[in-house]
Amino acid sequence: MNHLPTFDDVLAASRRLEGHARRTPVMTSRTLDDAMGAQVFFKCENFQRMGAFKFRGAFNALSKFSPEQKRAGVVAFSSGNHAQAIALSARILGIPATIVMPQDAPKAKVDATKGYGGHVVMYDRYTEDREQIGRDLAEQQGLTLIPPYDHPDVLAGQGTAAKELFEEVGELDALFVCLGGGGLLAGSALATRALSPDCRVYGVEPEAGNDGQQSFRSGQIVHIDTPKTIADGAQTQHLGQITFPIIQRDVDDILTATDAELIECMSFLAERMKLVVEPTGCLGFAAARQMKDELKGKRIGVIVSGGNVDMARFASLLST
């Protein structure tokens, strides 16, 4: 496992991102702290460029391209946030970008990806293999494939969000991180073990798609069918070959949250903290609320991964 990224890679990513990524705010709620009997710190990546943490990993990866790679272009596959992140980073760096997106991706994410200059190729997430489509395009057109999570530079970039959280608030007792393919969780775990070694790290995924939990408990990567959940950013089918060993080594447990719990959290964040957060971004908060009794008196971190949600859908979910 000598090839696995380390905290040094997170530090290098932080230097590359300086002046490009936003140092997003850490927010608190006295109402929530009183209800939880704990201190809860939200790292608000919904305020990141393009609206999600994904900008960190995408920009870090593309900034390391050779001149030849930059001329040829990049290809990525994503349900939305990685798509936007690659498209925006590519525009900043002058790199042509092709993005493979599912036909049912949120319209706001598709429109934003195109708005950043990305060439979008649509596919059916339930019948087609996005990874194969990405590999084929890379081979046919000489593009460099940057996957959404299983890439050392992407993972290292994502870890800078947790690094900034610890730098701002100090050591924590527990950190809750949403989990799809594991890039944010693995990167956050690297930062946690370096900056707050006694902090417990929890990955949180949709109950309908608990491949990470199954993998963590069985000791091997479990593949599942595309889960049906409102957390579209976590509709992944498996963890990565790079993310999984880091998660195995540095994460304490993998938890799940129901769609109903995500809607409750979206409602609280909107009403009490004036934050627009997409369903996936509420996974960590939902799990922290589940563990209220064991977290009393603790200092808790929650990474809010993004806020890219259609407003009509947002309103519809909150009215259910």
Side-chain angles (χ1 to χ4, degrees), residues 5-17 21-24 43-45 48-64 76-78 80-86 89 146-167 175-192 195 201 233 236 242-243 246-247 302-306:
T6 67
F7 183 61
D8 284 341
D9 295 302
V10 177
L11 291 175
S14 183
R15 290 190 290 271
R16 290 186 200 99
L17 288 167
R22 292 187 185 130
R23 193 175 182 95
T24 52
K43 177 63 169 169
C44 295
E45 285 294 288
Q48 187 51 261
R49 293 185 73 167
M50 48 69 47
F53 75 96
K54 291 283 191 177
F55 178 78
R56 297 173 182 272
F59 189 89
N60 185 51
L62 267 58
S63 68
K64 294 181 69 177
F77 46 82
S78 164
N81 282 340
H82 181 63
Q84 293 172 80
I86 289 288
S89 298
I146 299 294
Y149 55 87
D150 205 30
H151 188 286
D153 297 328
V154 170
L155 185 161
Q158 318 305 30
T160 61
K163 170 184 172 288
E164 290 175 8
L165 174 62
F166 288 117
E167 287 173 346
L175 178 68
F176 293 85
V177 185
C178 64
L179 171 60
L184 180 61
L185 178 58
S188 296
L190 291 178
T192 304
L195 301 175
V201 179
T236 46
I242 300 172
T243 61
I246 295 174
I247 289 169
V302 175
I303 296 187
V304 175
S305 61

Side-chain angles (χ1 to χ4, degrees), residues 203-319:
V204 192
E205 58 190 349
E207 185 179 77
N210 72 331
D211 61 291
Q213 187 181 66
Q214 292 182 56
S215 301
F216 188 77
R217 293 178 183 175
S218 69
Q220 57 188 2
I221 296 175
V222 172
H223 293 247
I224 63 171
D225 293 333
T226 301
K228 294 189 176 178
T229 169
I230 62 171
D232 64 280
Q235 284 183 293
T236 46
Q237 296 175 278
H238 58 86
L239 298 179
Q241 297 294 328
I242 300 172
T243 61
F244 180 55
I246 295 174
I247 289 169
Q248 265 192 310
R249 183 190 67 200
D250 292 338
V251 170
D252 291 281
D253 202 3
I254 306 295
L255 311 171
T256 65
T258 66
D259 282 359
E261 288 172 324
L262 297 182
I263 291 170
E264 287 176 13
C265 290
M266 289 172 67
S267 179
F268 178 90
L269 292 170
E271 290 180 1
R272 303 312 297 255
M273 298 181 68
K274 315 310 173 194
L275 296 174
V276 174
V277 179
E278 62 188 279
T280 307
C282 293
L283 284 164
F285 180 28
R289 290 178 77 189
Q290 293 171 12
M291 292 179 62
K292 172 183 170 182
D293 290 343
E294 34 190 308
L295 294 174
K296 284 196 183 302
K298 307 289 188 184
R299 288 166 48 83
I300 303 154
V302 175
I303 296 187
V304 175
S305 61
N308 292 325
V309 57
D310 289 314
M311 283 299 101
R313 178 162 170 72
F314 186 77
S316 172
L317 288 171
L318 295 192
S319 67

